[in-house]
C-alpha cells in the first residue's frame, strides 16, 4: 500500500509527501523479509531502489547513497542465489547507485559500480541477444562522457561507438523515444571524432565517420523536432552545429554555413541551469583513481574488440597484458586464452600484412605459454592441444616468410614431439619429427 501511495504521490509531483511513504514501505518490507525472506526480499530491494530515487529527487544525497548501497547488497545476495532472475535488477541497482555516488563526489566508487553494472549487462546481452542491447547502449553512452571528462580519449570514443551500435538495434520502430538516445550517441561520436588528438586521427577515416554520424543525428532529430518542437529544438540545433563542423572538416564550407543558419533558426539560447549534478569534494588517491579508470577502459575495450577487433583489438591487448599476473603469481589461463583470442582476430583482420605476421607470432608465443602452464598443472591433453595450435600459427608464419620463420617452426615441432611422446602419443610424435625434418632440410641437412 505504501509503495503504491509513494508512486502516486511522486507521479503527481508531491515529492515531499512521497518520501515518508517510501521510507515506510522500506520499514514494512524489512519486517516481512525478516520473517519470510524467500517471499519478500525482492520487494525489499525494490523499496530500497525507490527510496534511493526519492531521496535523490529531494537532494538528500546521503540518504540516497545509503539506500542505493543497501539495494545493491540485497540484489547481490538475490543474484548469488538465482542469477537468471536477479542479475538484471542488480545491474540496474548498480547503475542507480553509481549515479548518486557520482552526485556525492564519490567518483571512484561510482566508477566501480558502473563498471560492474556494464560487465553484468554485457554478459546478459551475450546470453540473451535482443533483450538488453538498449540497456547496455545507455550504459556505454554515459560512460563515454565520463571517460572523455577523464581525458581517456580512445576509450571514450570506443564506448560511444559501442553505444551507437547497440542503440541503433532498438530503433527499428522509428519511435522518437528510442531514437533520442541514439541521436545523442551519434552527435557525441561525431564530436569525439572531430576533436580527438592528431595522434589518434593518423591512418583513420575520421572525417568520413564524423560526417556520417552527424548526418544521421540531424536526420533523426529533424523527425523528432516535428513531434515536439519546443522540447527538442535545442537538441536539433546542437546536432546541426556538430554536422556543420563535420562538413567544414570535409571541405564543404557552403553546406556547413547552411547547417549553421538552420541551427540558428531552431536555437532558443542556452537551457536554464539545473541543480549541480556533481559535487567533487571527496578526496581520493590518484593511484587508486588510475587503477579504477584502467578497469573501466578494460571493460569498454573488451566489448568493442569483440564487435570490431581490427579497430579496437590493439587497444585491448596492452590492457590485457597489464592484467596478467606478475612476480611468481599463479598463471591466469583464462586471461591468456583471452589474449590469444584477440591476437587471433588481429592476425586475421588487421589490414596491414606485416602487422598480421606480428600478431601471428605473438599468438604462437601466447599459445606456447598456455601449453606450458597447462602442462605444469598436469592437464596434458589440453596442453598438447594448445601446443598444436601454436605449431599451426608457426606453420602460417613459415608460409608467409619461410626464410625468417621456418626455423621457429622446426623448433616448435620438435618440442611438440617430445611432449606427445611423454603423453604416450607415439604415432603423433613420429609424425611431428618427420615434419620437422622436412622443414629443416633447406638450412641444415637431413638430421634429427
Amino acid at each position: 500500500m505504501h509503495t503504491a501511495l509513494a508512486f502516486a504521490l511522486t507521479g503527481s509531483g508531491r515529492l515531499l509527501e512521497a518520501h515518508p511513504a517510501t521510507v515506510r514501505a522500506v520499514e514494512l518490507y524489512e519486517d516481512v523479509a525478516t520473517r519470510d525472506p524467500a517471499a519478500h526480499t525482492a520487494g525489499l530491494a525494490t523499496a530500497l531502489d525507490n527510496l534511493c530515487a526519492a531521496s535523490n529527487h529531494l537532494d538528500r544525497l546521503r540518504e540516497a547513497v545509503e539506500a542505493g548501497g543497501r539495494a545493491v547488497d540485497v540484489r547481490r545476495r538475490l543474484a548469488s542465489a538465482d542469477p537468471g532472475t536477479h542479475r538484471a535488477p542488480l545491474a540496474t541497482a548498480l547503475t542507480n547507485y553509481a549515479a548518486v555516488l557520482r552526485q556525492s563526489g564519490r567518483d571512484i566508487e561510482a566508477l566501480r559500480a558502473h563498471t560492474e553494472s556494464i560487465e553484468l549487462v554485457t554478459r546478459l546481452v551475450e546470453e540473451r541477444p535482443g533483450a538488453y542491447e538498449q540497456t547496455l547502449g545507455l550504459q556505454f553512452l554515459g560512460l563515454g562522457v565520463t571517460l572523455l571528462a577523464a581525458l581517456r580519449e580512445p576509450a571514450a570514443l570506443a564506448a560511444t561507438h559501442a553505444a551507437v551500435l547497440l542503440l541503433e538495434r532498438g530503433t527499428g520502430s522509428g519511435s522518437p523515444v528510442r531514437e533520442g538516445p541514439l541521436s545523442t550517441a551519434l552527435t557525441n561520436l561525431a564530436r569525439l571524432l572531430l576533436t580527438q588528438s592528431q595522434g589518434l586521427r593518423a591512418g583513420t577515416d575520421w572525417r568520413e565517420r564524423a560526417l556520417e554520424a552527424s548526418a544521421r543525428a540531424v536526420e533523426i532529430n529533424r523527425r523528432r523536432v516535428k513531434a515536439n518542437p519546443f522540447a527538442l529544438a535545442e537538441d536539433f540545433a546542437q546536432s546541426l552545429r556538430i554536422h556543420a563542423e563535420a562538413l567544414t572538416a570535409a571541405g564543404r564550407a557552403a553546406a556547413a554555413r547552411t547547417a549553421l543558419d538552420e541551427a540558428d533558426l531552431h536555437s532558443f539560447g542556452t537551457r536554464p541551469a539545473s541543480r549541480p549534478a556533481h559535487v567533487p569534494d571527496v578526496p581520493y588517491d590518484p593511484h587508486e583513481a588510475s587503477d579504477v579508470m584502467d578497469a573501466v577502459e578494460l571493460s569498454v575495450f573488451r566489448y568493442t574488440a569483440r564487435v570490431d577487433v581490427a579497430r579496437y583489438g590493439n587497444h585491448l591487448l596492452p590492457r590485457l597484458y597489464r592484467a596478467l599476473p606478475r612476480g611468481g603469481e599463479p598463471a591466469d589461463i583464462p586471461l591468456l586464452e583471452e589474449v590469444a583470442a584477440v591476437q587471433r582476430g588481429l592476425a586475421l583482420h588487421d589490414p596491414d600484412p606485416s602487422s598480421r605476421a606480428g600478431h601471428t607470432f605473438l599468438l604462437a608465443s601466447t599459445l606456447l605459454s598456455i601449453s606450458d602452464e597447462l602442462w605444469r598443472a598436469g592437464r596434458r591433453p589440453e596442453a598438447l592441444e594448445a601446443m598444436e595450435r601454436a605449431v599451426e600459427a608457426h606453420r602460417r608464419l613459415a608460409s608467409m616468410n619461410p626464410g625468417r620463420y621456418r626455423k621457429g617452426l622446426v623448433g616448435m615441432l620438435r618440442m611438440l614431439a617430445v611432449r606427445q611422446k611423454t603423453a604416450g602419443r607415439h604415432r603423433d610424435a613420429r609424425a611431428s619429427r618427420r615434419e620437422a625434418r622436412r622443414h629443416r632440410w633447406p638450412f641444415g641437412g637431413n638430421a634429427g
Side-chain angles (χ1 to χ4, degrees):
M1 180 182 73
H2 286 84
T3 300
L5 176 61
F7 182 79
L9 289 168
T10 301
S12 61
R14 297 162 63 179
L15 301 180
L16 284 171
E17 298 169 79
H19 189 268
T22 310
V23 171
R24 183 58 181 152
V26 169
E27 293 170 347
L28 291 171
Y29 269 111
E30 285 174 330
D31 181 45
V32 295
T34 300
R35 288 184 272 124
D36 190 353
H40 298 293
T41 301
L44 172 60
T46 300
L48 288 165
D49 285 332
N50 293 340
L51 181 57
C52 176
S55 299
N56 190 28
H57 283 315
L58 295 174
D59 288 340
R60 298 180 180 179
L61 288 178
R62 184 175 298 176
E63 295 174 44
V65 168
E66 181 184 355
R70 289 185 61 199
V72 167
D73 290 342
V74 174
R75 296 284 188 196
R76 201 185 299 283
R77 290 199 303 271
L78 290 167
S80 65
D82 184 0
T85 302
H86 295 289
R87 275 183 304 166
L90 172 58
T92 301
L94 284 162
T95 300
N96 296 338
Y97 186 42
V100 294
L101 284 168
R102 177 165 169 73
Q103 288 170 226
S104 302
R106 295 164 62 175
D107 295 299
I108 303 306
E109 295 162 90
L111 281 168
R112 284 199 186 99
H114 200 165
T115 303
E116 184 181 356
S117 178
I118 282 180
E119 290 171 350
L120 280 170
V121 180
T122 298
R123 288 196 290 272
L124 289 168
V125 167
E126 292 169 355
E127 293 168 12
R128 296 180 57 189
Y132 293 100
E133 276 86 352
Q134 292 285 298
T135 301
L136 185 57
L138 292 170
Q139 296 260 21
F140 276 124
L141 178 57
L143 192 58
V145 176
T146 302
L147 287 164
L148 182 61
L151 304 180
R152 301 289 184 111
E153 273 188 287
L157 184 60
T160 307
H161 185 205
V164 169
L165 295 174
L166 289 158
L167 292 169
E168 67 185 0
R169 297 179 192 173
T171 57
S173 64
S175 164
V177 175
R178 288 179 178 269
E179 287 189 327
L182 174 59
S183 69
T184 301
L186 287 163
T187 299
N188 289 357
L189 178 61
R191 182 189 289 113
L192 281 164
L193 289 164
L194 291 165
T195 59
Q196 66 184 330
S197 60
Q198 291 295 329
L200 293 175
R201 288 179 175 178
T204 68
D205 54 349
W206 63 274
R207 291 184 183 85
E208 292 80 1
R209 292 180 66 201
L211 191 59
E212 179 187 3
S214 62
R216 289 178 62 199
V218 167
E219 177 188 357
I220 291 169
N221 282 330
R222 195 183 299 281
R223 289 197 302 269
R224 296 175 68 230
V225 78
K226 291 177 183 178
N228 193 343
F230 182 77
L232 300 175
E234 193 59 41
D235 285 344
F236 182 39
Q238 180 64 15
S239 63
L240 282 164
R241 292 188 188 101
I242 298 298
H243 187 46
E245 292 182 32
L247 288 165
T248 300
R252 297 168 58 183
R257 286 193 296 272
T258 300
L260 286 174
D261 290 342
E262 187 177 4
D264 291 340
L265 290 174
H266 288 85
S267 179
F268 300 119
T270 58
R271 290 170 175 161
S274 59
R275 67 181 177 87
H278 181 205
V279 187
D281 57 0
V282 177
Y284 54 87
D285 182 347
H287 295 293
E288 181 186 17
S290 179
D291 289 344
V292 172
M293 291 304 302
D294 288 345
V296 173
E297 287 191 331
L298 181 58
S299 293
V300 169
F301 286 120
R302 270 181 161 148
Y303 178 80
T304 53
R306 283 197 292 271
V307 175
D308 189 347
V309 70
R311 191 185 299 277
Y312 296 114
N314 282 313
H315 291 287
L316 175 58
L317 273 179
R319 291 164 174 85
L320 290 175
Y321 293 148
R322 287 199 294 270
L324 288 169
R326 295 285 189 273
E329 297 177 7
D332 188 336
I333 294 174
L335 187 56
L336 284 170
E337 287 284 7
E338 185 178 358
V339 169
V342 178
Q343 291 167 336
R344 187 179 301 109
L346 287 168
L348 291 171
H349 300 294
D350 195 302
D352 181 1
S354 62
S355 295
R356 286 200 296 272
H359 291 305
T360 304
F361 183 82
L362 290 173
L363 170 62
S365 298
T366 302
L367 290 169
L368 180 58
S369 296
I370 293 170
S371 178
D372 289 344
E373 295 297 339
L374 290 167
W375 191 265
R376 279 192 285 269
R379 297 160 62 179
R380 292 188 171 183
E382 296 168 84
L384 287 173
E385 190 272 335
M387 182 164 279
E388 286 164 357
R389 287 189 285 151
V391 167
E392 182 56 38
H394 274 281
R395 288 191 184 106
R396 289 198 297 274
L397 287 168
S399 69
M400 295 178 198
N401 189 336
R404 183 173 183 179
Y405 293 113
R406 187 186 287 124
K407 191 172 183 178
L409 172 59
V410 170
M412 284 296 300
L413 284 164
R414 287 176 167 174
M415 192 183 304
L416 175 61
V418 170
R419 288 192 176 174
Q420 287 170 329
K421 182 178 179 180
T422 304
R425 290 171 51 178
H426 299 285
R427 180 178 297 177
D428 292 334
R430 287 193 295 272
S432 296
R433 286 196 297 270
R434 283 195 298 270
E435 184 179 355
R437 286 195 293 271
R438 287 199 303 273
H439 287 292
R440 190 176 186 277
W441 174 257
F443 51 81
N446 192 21

